Amino acid sequence: MPNILTSICEMFEGFSMGTTAGKVFIAIGTALTAFYSPIVPLLVTCFVFTAMDMFYGIKVAFKNKKKIESHKNWSGTLVKLLDEWVLISLARLLEMSVMGEETGVFVLTGGATVIVGLTELWSILENLNTLNPKGPWKALGKFLKKKGEDYIGTEIDLGDGEIEDRKSVV
């Protein structure tokens, strides 16, 4: 019975066809797989939120009879997906460099995913409010507006886009 290490080396040689470039590509692929495998559900979550935002954005455009330019819509969505991927990847890299070895705790990547998800959810709520202003998300929008005003200390006027600083009024 051959040694297991010898078998692995022979298999590695076979996959790489004995070339250095093949071995480098296999090593890079292995490293990327090890880096991204644990956070695939987080990335998929962000991508689903972004796709749903795009879907409802298209529905709003149809309702408002605006011309939809697919190349702009698609390229804008791709840029957003790339930005989300970079943000979560950087959070993962920082997490791995600070915590050292794999712990299975995704504090930074989970936090980045929550931020991206909430941002996309906010946009989806705005689209839903445009599609059906009397829907149940109206109350949620008012609640979030109030909490946002309390947090940043300014009054958010959603009517004409002006923002008034509460601290200067008081």
Side-chain angles (χ1 to χ4, degrees), residues 85-103:
W85 175 76
V86 167
L87 178 69
I88 293 173
S89 296
L90 289 174
R92 171 83 172 136
L93 184 63
L94 183 61
E95 208 166 49
M96 286 182 70
S97 64
V98 168
M99 292 184 187
E101 54 187 79
E102 188 66 35
T103 61

Side-chain angles (χ1 to χ4, degrees), residues 1-167:
M1 179 174 200
N3 184 355
I4 189 77
L5 188 57
T6 306
S7 298
I8 291 173
C9 288
E10 288 173 0
M11 187 174 60
F12 189 67
E13 284 291 324
F15 285 140
S16 67
M17 295 183 196
T19 65
T20 304
K23 292 175 186 175
V24 168
F25 285 125
I26 289 173
I28 289 171
T30 304
L32 288 174
T33 301
F35 183 79
Y36 284 109
S37 290
I39 61 169
V40 165
L42 301 176
L43 290 169
V44 169
T45 299
C46 289
F47 295 165
V48 166
F49 272 74
T50 302
M52 292 307 298
D53 181 33
M54 181 179 77
F55 172 75
Y56 282 109
I58 290 170
K59 284 182 76 168
V60 167
F62 277 131
K63 179 182 180 185
N64 294 334
K65 296 180 176 39
K66 291 186 178 178
K67 181 180 177 188
I68 298 172
E69 298 180 32
S70 63
H71 69 281
K72 285 184 180 179
N73 186 31
W74 185 240
S75 65
T77 301
L78 287 179
V79 167
K80 201 187 299 190
L81 289 172
L82 177 65
D83 292 343
E84 293 169 1
W85 175 76
V86 167
L87 178 69
I88 293 173
S89 296
L90 289 174
R92 171 83 172 136
L93 184 63
L94 183 61
E95 208 166 49
M96 286 182 70
S97 64
V98 168
M99 292 184 187
E101 54 187 79
E102 188 66 35
T103 61
V105 178
F106 303 112
V107 176
L108 297 176
T109 51
T113 302
V114 167
I115 291 169
V116 169
L118 287 175
T119 303
E120 293 297 331
L121 186 61
W122 184 278
S123 180
I124 291 168
L125 285 172
E126 288 174 344
N127 290 331
L128 287 171
N129 194 39
T130 302
L131 291 170
N132 182 5
K134 296 182 181 180
W137 35 83
K138 184 80 171 174
L140 181 60
K142 287 181 179 180
F143 172 76
L144 292 174
K145 177 182 176 274
K146 173 74 173 116
K147 288 296 178 189
E149 287 176 345
D150 291 344
Y151 181 72
I152 62 174
T154 61
E155 185 175 317
I156 302 170
D157 183 10
L158 300 177
D160 58 5
E162 291 184 23
I163 297 176
E164 181 181 320
D165 188 3
R166 282 189 193 170
K167 294 174 185 166

